[in-house]
Amino acid sequence: MKNIITQFSRLFVGILFIISGLIKLNDPVGFSYKLAEYFSEPVFNMPFLEPFALAIALFLVILEVVLGVLLLIGYKTKSTIWSLLILIILFTFLTFYSAYFEVVKDCGCFGDALKLTSWQSFTKDVVLLFFILILYFNQKLVQPLFGVKTQNAIVALAVVLCCFMGYWVLNHLPIVDFRPFKVGNNIYDGMMIPDNAPKSEVEMVFIYKVNGVQKEFTEKELMQIPAGATFVDRKDKIIKEGYVPPIHDFTMEKDGEDYKNRFLRHEQLMLIVAYDLDKANKEGMAKIEALHQKALIKGYKVIGMTASSPEQIEAAKKRFGLTFNFYFCDAIALKTIERANPSIVIISKAVVKQKVHYNDIDQLKL
Protein backbone atom coordinates (compact mmCIF):
# COMPACT_ATOMS: atom_id res chain seq x y z
CA MET A 1 0.00 0.00 0.00
CA LYS A 2 2.83 2.37 0.90
CA ASN A 3 4.47 1.72 -2.46
CA ILE A 4 1.23 2.42 -4.36
CA ILE A 5 0.73 5.74 -2.56
CA THR A 6 4.38 6.68 -3.15
CA GLN A 7 4.26 5.88 -6.88
CA PHE A 8 0.98 7.79 -7.24
CA SER A 9 2.60 10.78 -5.50
CA ARG A 10 5.58 10.47 -7.84
CA LEU A 11 3.36 10.57 -10.93
CA PHE A 12 1.05 13.29 -9.60
CA VAL A 13 3.83 15.65 -8.51
CA GLY A 14 6.05 15.00 -11.53
CA ILE A 15 3.31 15.49 -14.13
CA LEU A 16 1.88 18.57 -12.39
CA PHE A 17 5.31 20.21 -12.14
CA ILE A 18 5.97 19.54 -15.83
CA ILE A 19 2.58 20.88 -16.94
CA SER A 20 2.78 23.95 -14.70
CA GLY A 21 6.36 24.66 -15.77
CA LEU A 22 5.68 24.25 -19.50
CA ILE A 23 2.67 26.56 -19.36
CA LYS A 24 4.83 29.28 -17.76
CA LEU A 25 7.79 28.49 -20.05
CA ASN A 26 5.43 29.09 -22.97
CA ASP A 27 5.13 32.69 -21.70
CA PRO A 28 8.04 33.53 -19.35
CA VAL A 29 7.55 37.26 -19.88
CA GLY A 30 4.05 36.99 -18.41
CA PHE A 31 5.41 35.08 -15.40
CA SER A 32 8.12 37.71 -14.95
CA TYR A 33 5.38 40.35 -14.58
CA LYS A 34 4.01 38.36 -11.64
CA LEU A 35 7.45 38.11 -10.05
CA ALA A 36 7.88 41.86 -10.50
CA GLU A 37 4.64 42.31 -8.53
CA TYR A 38 6.11 40.30 -5.66
CA PHE A 39 9.33 42.33 -5.80
CA SER A 40 7.46 45.66 -5.85
CA GLU A 41 7.32 48.04 -2.90
CA PRO A 42 3.76 47.23 -1.76
CA VAL A 43 4.57 43.50 -1.44
CA PHE A 44 8.14 42.49 -0.47
CA ASN A 45 9.77 45.85 -1.21
CA MET A 46 12.69 44.41 -3.19
CA PRO A 47 12.76 46.72 -6.23
CA PHE A 48 16.45 45.89 -6.83
CA LEU A 49 15.27 42.47 -8.09
CA GLU A 50 12.76 43.82 -10.61
CA PRO A 51 15.34 44.19 -13.43
CA PHE A 52 16.17 40.48 -12.98
CA ALA A 53 12.54 39.30 -12.95
CA LEU A 54 12.71 37.76 -16.43
CA ALA A 55 15.97 35.89 -15.72
CA ILE A 56 14.59 34.59 -12.42
CA ALA A 57 11.33 33.60 -14.14
CA LEU A 58 13.20 31.60 -16.80
CA PHE A 59 15.35 29.86 -14.19
CA LEU A 60 12.35 28.90 -12.04
CA VAL A 61 10.17 27.56 -14.87
CA ILE A 62 13.00 25.53 -16.41
CA LEU A 63 13.85 24.20 -12.94
CA GLU A 64 10.18 23.29 -12.42
CA VAL A 65 9.98 21.28 -15.64
CA VAL A 66 13.35 19.57 -15.17
CA LEU A 67 12.57 18.60 -11.56
CA GLY A 68 9.32 17.04 -12.74
CA VAL A 69 11.24 14.98 -15.31
CA LEU A 70 13.88 13.99 -12.74
CA LEU A 71 11.21 12.76 -10.34
CA LEU A 72 9.43 10.69 -12.98
CA ILE A 73 12.61 8.90 -14.11
CA GLY A 74 14.00 8.61 -10.57
CA TYR A 75 17.17 10.59 -11.18
CA LYS A 76 19.20 11.25 -7.99
CA THR A 77 16.13 10.81 -5.84
CA LYS A 78 17.39 12.42 -2.64
CA SER A 79 18.54 15.73 -4.18
CA THR A 80 15.51 15.86 -6.52
CA ILE A 81 12.97 15.44 -3.71
CA TRP A 82 14.85 17.92 -1.50
CA SER A 83 14.76 20.45 -4.34
CA LEU A 84 11.04 19.87 -4.86
CA LEU A 85 10.41 20.30 -1.13
CA ILE A 86 12.32 23.58 -0.96
CA LEU A 87 10.56 24.89 -4.08
CA ILE A 88 7.07 23.98 -2.89
CA ILE A 89 7.70 25.52 0.54
CA LEU A 90 8.71 28.75 -1.23
CA PHE A 91 5.62 28.65 -3.47
CA THR A 92 3.33 27.85 -0.53
CA PHE A 93 4.67 30.82 1.41
CA LEU A 94 4.19 33.15 -1.56
CA THR A 95 0.63 32.01 -2.27
CA PHE A 96 -0.34 32.21 1.42
CA TYR A 97 1.15 35.70 1.67
CA SER A 98 -0.73 36.75 -1.47
CA ALA A 99 -4.03 35.35 -0.22
CA TYR A 100 -3.84 36.52 3.38
CA PHE A 101 -2.63 40.06 2.66
CA GLU A 102 -4.49 40.34 -0.69
CA VAL A 103 -1.47 41.72 -2.52
CA VAL A 104 -1.10 39.59 -5.69
CA LYS A 105 -4.50 38.31 -6.81
CA ASP A 106 -3.18 35.78 -9.32
CA CYS A 107 0.18 34.07 -8.69
CA GLY A 108 0.43 32.96 -12.33
CA CYS A 109 0.90 29.29 -11.35
CA PHE A 110 -0.64 28.17 -14.64
CA GLY A 111 -0.08 31.39 -16.58
CA ASP A 112 -3.11 32.59 -18.53
CA ALA A 113 -4.22 29.01 -19.26
CA LEU A 114 -5.94 28.58 -15.89
CA LYS A 115 -6.75 31.46 -13.56
CA LEU A 116 -6.75 30.61 -9.86
CA THR A 117 -7.65 32.83 -6.95
CA SER A 118 -5.01 33.38 -4.28
CA TRP A 119 -6.65 30.90 -1.89
CA GLN A 120 -7.06 28.32 -4.66
CA SER A 121 -3.34 28.66 -5.47
CA PHE A 122 -2.47 28.25 -1.80
CA THR A 123 -4.69 25.15 -1.54
CA LYS A 124 -3.03 23.68 -4.63
CA ASP A 125 0.41 24.19 -3.08
CA VAL A 126 -0.67 22.63 0.23
CA VAL A 127 -1.87 19.54 -1.67
CA LEU A 128 1.45 19.37 -3.54
CA LEU A 129 3.35 19.81 -0.28
CA PHE A 130 1.42 16.85 1.18
CA PHE A 131 2.38 14.55 -1.70
CA ILE A 132 6.00 15.75 -1.75
CA LEU A 133 6.26 14.97 1.98
CA ILE A 134 5.06 11.43 1.18
CA LEU A 135 7.92 11.19 -1.31
CA TYR A 136 10.35 12.66 1.22
CA PHE A 137 9.53 10.02 3.84
CA ASN A 138 9.58 7.20 1.28
CA GLN A 139 12.59 8.12 -0.84
CA LYS A 140 13.85 4.53 -1.01
CA LEU A 141 10.73 3.54 -2.94
CA VAL A 142 11.47 6.05 -5.73
CA GLN A 143 13.84 3.98 -7.87
CA PRO A 144 15.43 4.90 -11.25
CA LEU A 145 13.55 3.73 -14.33
CA PHE A 146 16.62 3.47 -16.60
CA GLY A 147 20.35 2.91 -16.53
CA VAL A 148 22.77 5.72 -15.67
CA LYS A 149 23.62 6.65 -19.29
CA THR A 150 19.96 6.75 -20.34
CA GLN A 151 19.06 8.81 -17.27
CA ASN A 152 21.82 11.33 -18.01
CA ALA A 153 20.74 11.56 -21.66
CA ILE A 154 17.11 12.24 -20.69
CA VAL A 155 18.13 14.93 -18.20
CA ALA A 156 20.42 16.62 -20.73
CA LEU A 157 17.71 16.50 -23.40
CA ALA A 158 15.13 18.00 -21.00
CA VAL A 159 17.44 20.90 -20.11
CA VAL A 160 18.36 21.60 -23.74
CA LEU A 161 14.73 21.49 -24.94
CA CYS A 162 13.59 23.80 -22.12
CA CYS A 163 16.36 26.30 -22.86
CA PHE A 164 15.53 26.23 -26.57
CA MET A 165 11.83 26.75 -25.87
CA GLY A 166 12.66 29.71 -23.61
CA TYR A 167 14.89 31.22 -26.30
CA TRP A 168 12.25 30.70 -28.99
CA VAL A 169 9.30 32.29 -27.19
CA LEU A 170 11.38 35.28 -26.09
CA ASN A 171 12.47 35.99 -29.65
CA HIS A 172 9.13 35.24 -31.29
CA LEU A 173 5.79 34.76 -29.51
CA PRO A 174 4.29 32.21 -27.10
CA ILE A 175 3.73 28.92 -28.90
CA VAL A 176 0.18 28.73 -27.54
CA ASP A 177 -1.68 31.97 -26.84
CA PHE A 178 -4.03 31.73 -23.84
CA ARG A 179 -4.74 35.46 -23.60
CA PRO A 180 -8.03 37.20 -24.47
CA PHE A 181 -6.42 38.94 -27.47
CA LYS A 182 -5.40 35.71 -29.19
CA VAL A 183 -5.89 35.33 -32.95
CA GLY A 184 -9.55 34.67 -33.77
CA ASN A 185 -10.99 36.43 -30.73
CA ASN A 186 -13.42 39.32 -31.04
CA ILE A 187 -12.40 42.23 -28.81
CA TYR A 188 -15.98 43.37 -28.26
CA ASP A 189 -16.95 39.88 -27.08
CA GLY A 190 -14.09 39.96 -24.60
CA MET A 191 -15.35 43.23 -23.13
CA MET A 192 -18.95 42.12 -22.67
CA ILE A 193 -20.43 41.56 -19.21
CA PRO A 194 -23.24 38.96 -19.15
CA ASP A 195 -26.60 40.13 -17.78
CA ASN A 196 -26.52 37.53 -15.02
CA ALA A 197 -22.88 38.17 -14.06
CA PRO A 198 -22.27 38.63 -10.31
CA LYS A 199 -21.94 42.26 -9.26
CA SER A 200 -19.21 43.67 -7.05
CA GLU A 201 -20.13 44.46 -3.46
CA VAL A 202 -18.56 47.77 -2.46
CA GLU A 203 -18.53 49.47 0.94
CA MET A 204 -17.78 53.16 1.39
CA VAL A 205 -15.05 53.84 3.94
CA PHE A 206 -14.51 57.31 5.41
CA ILE A 207 -11.10 58.30 6.73
CA TYR A 208 -10.91 60.83 9.57
CA LYS A 209 -7.99 62.11 11.56
CA VAL A 210 -8.72 61.53 15.26
CA ASN A 211 -6.22 62.96 17.73
CA GLY A 212 -3.59 63.06 15.00
CA VAL A 213 -4.18 59.45 13.89
CA GLN A 214 -6.04 58.44 10.73
CA LYS A 215 -8.92 56.03 11.36
CA GLU A 216 -11.40 54.37 9.03
CA PHE A 217 -15.16 54.40 9.55
CA THR A 218 -17.85 52.57 7.58
CA GLU A 219 -21.24 54.13 6.76
CA LYS A 220 -22.72 52.37 9.78
CA GLU A 221 -20.03 53.83 12.05
CA LEU A 222 -20.43 57.47 11.03
CA MET A 223 -22.35 58.27 14.23
CA GLN A 224 -19.33 57.05 16.21
CA ILE A 225 -16.96 59.67 14.78
CA PRO A 226 -15.79 61.75 17.78
CA ALA A 227 -16.20 65.49 17.91
CA GLY A 228 -13.25 67.41 16.52
CA ALA A 229 -12.30 64.67 14.02
CA THR A 230 -11.11 65.98 10.65
CA PHE A 231 -12.23 64.42 7.37
CA VAL A 232 -9.30 63.17 5.26
CA ASP A 233 -10.63 61.04 2.43
CA ARG A 234 -13.26 58.57 1.24
CA LYS A 235 -12.54 55.31 -0.54
CA ASP A 236 -14.46 52.33 -1.83
CA LYS A 237 -13.58 49.00 -0.24
CA ILE A 238 -14.44 45.94 -2.33
CA ILE A 239 -16.15 43.37 -0.13
CA LYS A 240 -16.76 40.90 -2.94
CA GLU A 241 -15.40 41.30 -6.44
CA GLY A 242 -17.88 40.72 -9.22
CA TYR A 243 -17.36 39.52 -12.76
CA VAL A 244 -14.43 41.12 -14.57
CA PRO A 245 -14.49 40.64 -18.36
CA PRO A 246 -11.34 39.15 -19.95
CA ILE A 247 -10.71 42.45 -21.77
CA HIS A 248 -10.96 45.58 -19.64
CA ASP A 249 -9.09 48.88 -19.44
CA PHE A 250 -8.67 48.70 -23.22
CA THR A 251 -8.70 52.17 -24.73
CA MET A 252 -7.42 54.09 -27.73
CA GLU A 253 -7.28 57.56 -26.21
CA LYS A 254 -5.91 60.76 -27.65
CA ASP A 255 -6.54 64.30 -26.38
CA GLY A 256 -9.09 63.01 -23.88
CA GLU A 257 -11.19 61.11 -26.45
CA ASP A 258 -11.47 57.33 -26.80
CA TYR A 259 -11.36 56.28 -30.47
CA LYS A 260 -11.79 52.56 -29.73
CA ASN A 261 -15.26 52.13 -31.26
CA ARG A 262 -14.30 54.12 -34.34
CA PHE A 263 -11.08 52.21 -35.05
CA LEU A 264 -12.39 48.73 -34.29
CA ARG A 265 -14.93 49.12 -37.09
CA HIS A 266 -12.10 49.22 -39.66
CA GLU A 267 -11.76 46.20 -41.90
CA GLN A 268 -7.99 46.66 -42.08
CA LEU A 269 -6.47 47.98 -38.86
CA MET A 270 -2.82 47.63 -37.88
CA LEU A 271 -1.75 48.26 -34.29
CA ILE A 272 1.87 48.98 -33.46
CA VAL A 273 1.93 48.02 -29.77
CA ALA A 274 4.77 49.39 -27.64
CA TYR A 275 3.74 49.67 -24.00
CA ASP A 276 6.94 51.56 -23.10
CA LEU A 277 8.68 53.44 -25.91
CA ASP A 278 11.79 54.08 -23.84
CA LYS A 279 12.25 50.34 -23.29
CA ALA A 280 11.18 49.28 -26.78
CA ASN A 281 13.68 47.22 -28.77
CA LYS A 282 15.64 49.66 -30.95
CA GLU A 283 16.11 47.25 -33.86
CA GLY A 284 12.41 46.46 -33.80
CA MET A 285 11.41 50.13 -33.75
CA ALA A 286 13.70 50.82 -36.69
CA LYS A 287 11.59 48.46 -38.85
CA ILE A 288 8.25 50.04 -38.04
CA GLU A 289 8.06 53.01 -40.39
CA ALA A 290 8.83 50.89 -43.46
CA LEU A 291 6.04 48.53 -42.38
CA HIS A 292 3.75 51.52 -41.88
CA GLN A 293 4.30 52.72 -45.45
CA LYS A 294 3.78 49.22 -46.85
CA ALA A 295 0.52 48.88 -44.89
CA LEU A 296 -0.74 52.26 -46.15
CA ILE A 297 -0.30 51.09 -49.74
CA LYS A 298 -2.41 48.03 -48.88
CA GLY A 299 -5.18 50.24 -47.47
CA TYR A 300 -4.59 49.74 -43.75
CA LYS A 301 -5.34 52.21 -40.99
CA VAL A 302 -2.16 52.23 -38.88
CA ILE A 303 -1.95 53.51 -35.31
CA GLY A 304 0.47 53.16 -32.45
CA MET A 305 -0.61 52.15 -28.96
CA THR A 306 1.45 52.98 -25.89
CA ALA A 307 1.32 53.94 -22.23
CA SER A 308 4.22 56.37 -22.70
CA SER A 309 3.97 60.11 -22.12
CA PRO A 310 3.48 62.64 -24.96
CA GLU A 311 7.13 63.67 -24.53
CA GLN A 312 8.30 60.07 -24.94
CA ILE A 313 6.07 59.67 -27.99
CA GLU A 314 7.53 62.74 -29.68
CA ALA A 315 11.07 61.61 -28.90
CA ALA A 316 10.41 58.15 -30.36
CA LYS A 317 8.76 59.58 -33.50
CA LYS A 318 11.73 61.83 -34.09
CA ARG A 319 14.33 59.14 -33.39
CA PHE A 320 12.79 56.45 -35.61
CA GLY A 321 11.11 58.69 -38.20
CA LEU A 322 7.60 57.50 -37.31
CA THR A 323 4.76 59.28 -39.10
CA PHE A 324 1.67 57.63 -37.56
CA ASN A 325 -0.19 58.74 -34.44
CA PHE A 326 0.03 57.06 -31.05
CA TYR A 327 -2.98 56.44 -28.82
CA PHE A 328 -2.92 55.82 -25.09
CA CYS A 329 -3.81 52.52 -23.43
CA ASP A 330 -3.02 51.19 -19.97
CA ALA A 331 0.38 49.43 -19.85
CA ILE A 332 -1.08 46.27 -18.28
CA ALA A 333 -3.67 46.00 -21.05
CA LEU A 334 -0.97 46.45 -23.70
CA LYS A 335 1.22 43.79 -22.07
CA THR A 336 -1.78 41.48 -22.23
CA ILE A 337 -2.24 42.13 -25.95
CA GLU A 338 1.31 41.10 -26.74
CA ARG A 339 4.56 40.44 -24.89
CA ALA A 340 7.01 41.85 -27.44
CA ASN A 341 7.83 45.55 -27.26
CA PRO A 342 7.11 46.51 -30.04
CA SER A 343 4.73 44.03 -31.66
CA ILE A 344 2.26 44.19 -34.52
CA VAL A 345 -1.42 43.21 -34.37
CA ILE A 346 -3.76 43.04 -37.36
CA ILE A 347 -7.46 43.52 -36.64
CA SER A 348 -10.49 43.30 -38.92
CA LYS A 349 -13.80 44.57 -37.55
CA ALA A 350 -12.73 43.93 -33.95
CA VAL A 351 -11.45 40.40 -34.68
CA VAL A 352 -7.73 39.71 -34.12
CA LYS A 353 -6.36 38.27 -37.37
CA GLN A 354 -2.58 38.25 -36.93
CA LYS A 355 0.00 38.95 -34.23
CA VAL A 356 3.75 39.01 -34.76
CA HIS A 357 6.91 39.74 -32.80
CA TYR A 358 9.12 42.51 -34.20
CA ASN A 359 11.54 39.75 -35.28
CA ASP A 360 8.83 38.27 -37.49
CA ILE A 361 7.57 41.32 -39.38
CA ASP A 362 8.41 39.61 -42.67
CA GLN A 363 5.79 36.94 -41.85
CA LEU A 364 2.92 39.43 -41.85
CA LYS A 365 0.36 38.77 -44.56
CA LEU A 366 -1.04 42.11 -45.70
Side-chain angles (χ1 to χ4, degrees):
M1 187 65 178
K2 182 188 291 187
N3 185 54
I4 293 175
I5 295 174
T6 301
Q7 298 311 320
F8 173 80
S9 301
R10 176 183 185 174
L11 285 171
F12 178 77
V13 173
I15 292 173
L16 197 60
F17 262 71
I18 291 172
I19 292 174
S20 174
L22 285 176
I23 289 174
K24 291 194 287 288
L25 185 56
N26 175 68
D27 183 16
V29 175
F31 184 50
S32 73
Y33 294 153
K34 290 299 175 184
L35 291 182
E37 281 190 66
Y38 282 108
F39 298 149
S40 64
E41 186 177 343
V43 187
F44 291 122
N45 194 22
M46 296 189 292
F48 60 92
L49 287 177
E50 289 185 37
F52 308 103
L54 181 57
I56 296 172
L58 276 170
F59 171 77
L60 285 176
V61 296
I62 290 175
L63 177 64
E64 197 173 349
V65 175
V66 172
L67 284 176
V69 173
L70 298 188
L71 180 63
L72 290 180
I73 67 174
Y75 183 86
K76 294 187 178 181
T77 301
K78 186 175 181 180
S79 58
T80 296
I81 293 177
W82 261 107
S83 299
L84 286 166
L85 186 59
I86 293 171
L87 203 58
I88 198 59
I89 289 174
L90 171 63
F91 288 162
T92 304
F93 166 73
L94 290 177
T95 52
F96 172 76
Y97 190 93
S98 298
Y100 187 80
F101 293 101
E102 299 181 347
V103 285
V104 181
K105 294 183 179 180
D106 175 19
C107 71
C109 301
F110 293 99
D112 290 292
L114 177 63
K115 294 289 187 179
L116 299 178
T117 65
S118 298
W119 285 115
Q120 287 172 338
S121 297
F122 172 68
T123 303
K124 180 264 299 178
D125 286 340
V126 170
V127 172
L128 273 173
L129 177 60
F130 170 77
F131 284 109
I132 291 174
L133 285 173
I134 291 176
L135 295 170
Y136 176 79
F137 290 113
N138 297 279
Q139 295 180 30
K140 292 182 180 179
L141 298 177
V142 183
Q143 297 296 318
L145 296 182
F146 309 102
V148 176
K149 289 185 178 179
T150 304
Q151 298 271 88
N152 290 337
I154 293 173
V155 173
L157 182 62
V159 173
V160 170
L161 288 177
C162 284
C163 290
F164 176 76
M165 182 175 174
Y167 170 82
W168 178 266
V169 297
L170 286 179
N171 287 277
H172 300 279
L173 292 179
I175 297 170
V176 181
D177 192 350
F178 295 106
R179 287 159 294 160
F181 289 92
K182 69 180 180 181
V183 172
N185 279 13
N186 186 298
I187 294 176
Y188 282 133
D189 290 346
M191 293 190 293
M192 288 183 61
I193 299 178
D195 294 335
N196 59 347
K199 308 293 184 182
S200 295
E201 295 180 15
V202 180
E203 181 181 52
M204 286 192 295
V205 176
F206 299 85
I207 304 172
Y208 279 80
K209 184 174 285 187
V210 181
N211 296 326
V213 179
Q214 290 189 6
K215 292 187 177 181
E216 295 184 353
F217 298 88
T218 64
E219 285 185 275
K220 297 178 181 179
E221 298 171 335
L222 290 179
M223 299 301 294
Q224 301 175 19
I225 299 174
T230 306
F231 175 78
V232 176
D233 196 7
R234 185 191 74 81
K235 64 180 181 180
D236 293 330
K237 182 179 180 181
I238 298 177
I239 306 301
K240 181 181 178 182
E241 189 167 6
Y243 176 80
V244 178
I247 298 177
H248 54 278
D249 296 334
F250 177 71
T251 61
M252 294 177 173
E253 291 183 3
K254 188 174 179 62
D255 300 326
E257 184 178 352
D258 191 350
Y259 292 82
K260 174 173 69 249
N261 292 327
R262 183 186 307 179
F263 289 153
L264 289 180
R265 287 198 295 265
H266 277 274
E267 190 168 344
Q268 293 181 308
L269 175 66
M270 176 182 287
L271 307 183
I272 309 298
V273 181
Y275 71 90
D276 188 330
L277 289 168
D278 286 349
K279 295 180 180 178
N281 180 274
K282 305 301 184 291
E283 293 181 4
M285 291 298 293
K287 303 175 183 178
I288 296 301
E289 182 57 27
L291 175 64
H292 170 216
Q293 296 302 324
K294 182 179 178 181
L296 289 180
I297 295 173
K298 297 285 186 177
Y300 280 81
K301 171 68 177 179
V302 181
I303 66 170
M305 294 188 66
T306 186
S308 299
S309 67
E311 292 77 19
Q312 291 172 313
I313 292 173
E314 289 306 313
K317 291 177 74 171
K318 183 177 180 180
R319 179 175 184 180
F320 299 106
L322 306 177
T323 57
F324 52 86
N325 290 323
F326 278 87
Y327 294 78
F328 178 83
C329 184
D330 181 75
I332 295 177
L334 292 179
K335 290 177 183 179
T336 304
I337 294 173
E338 202 47 87
R339 303 308 193 194
N341 186 25
S343 58
I344 298 89
V345 181
I346 302 297
I347 296 175
S348 177
K349 294 183 178 179
V351 176
V352 180
K353 293 297 186 180
Q354 294 182 71
K355 297 167 71 175
V356 299
H357 190 284
Y358 57 79
N359 284 332
D360 301 318
I361 286 178
D362 59 336
Q363 294 182 16
L364 270 176
K365 299 175 182 178
L366 300 180

